[in-house]
Amino acid sequence: AALAAFGSGTVARAGTQIVYRLLTLPAAKDAACVAVETYNDKPTAENRAKVLQIAMEALRFNPMLPLMGLRQSARRSELYAMCPHARVRVDPGEVFIPSPFAAMHDPNAFPRPSRFCTDHRQPEDYLHFGHGRHICVGKRVAEVLLEEIVISLFRNRHIEACPPNAKIRYDGPAVERYQVTFNARA
């Protein structure tokens, strides 16, 4: 019930952002098409996990939640801050607002953070659904839905944004429009 009430908009937004990034980041579309083709040829859990990793990597560039709610630090930590390109120390008990976007662009955790790349990145490195004791209750359901979006759309290698340089249009936080086509002539 919670996913139906609160998660469908988040999944729709995340799915749209994944498709947008897979169509705009260098090498991302090819990686998605290969992963989907491999899964369709041999539908194993391992091959499906590769589709999810492609989706999570694309979503890293437009996370569903660029900021998470208030958290209390359980231990002394250093948080990566993209601006002003510094690390911030958080002591035990301090309250802070974590940024998955900044964390998933930390060059220590994500080598070459500005590039779409799934090599040497583990599924647990992606913080889209929280981490540790703060894991989203709908995580696995949302992951399955996002996998299905990628599998459905990228089984056709001729998927393109329409027009080619289209951006996602939003109505507040909700996706209003992002149109794709399947070019059969290509």
Side-chain angles (χ1 to χ4, degrees), residues 1-8 137 141:
L3 183 62
F6 305 109
S8 59
V137 67
V141 173

Side-chain angles (χ1 to χ4, degrees), residues 94-186:
E94 277 191 88
V95 175
F96 64 100
I97 300 174
S99 168
F101 181 81
M104 291 186 294
H105 281 80
D106 179 351
N108 292 320
F110 289 87
R112 301 181 315 256
S114 62
R115 289 185 54 210
F116 180 90
C117 177
T118 56
D119 297 344
H120 312 295
R121 296 192 179 150
Q122 302 302 315
E124 58 272 7
D125 293 339
Y126 300 102
L127 305 175
H128 303 300
F129 298 101
H131 182 69
R133 64 181 200 203
H134 294 284
I135 295 289
C136 175
V137 67
K139 175 184 179 186
R140 188 61 195 136
V141 173
E143 288 175 341
V144 169
L145 292 170
L146 297 173
E147 290 166 357
E148 287 300 322
I149 289 169
V150 174
I151 290 167
S152 296
L153 293 175
F154 288 87
R155 68 172 39 124
N156 184 326
R157 285 186 171 270
H158 305 296
I159 184 173
E160 297 174 0
C162 181
N165 59 349
K167 302 277 188 218
I168 301 171
R169 286 195 345 217
Y170 294 96
D171 181 4
V175 171
E176 181 180 318
R177 180 181 184 143
Y178 183 67
Q179 189 171 340
V180 298
T181 61
F182 298 97
N183 186 352
R185 292 174 279 148

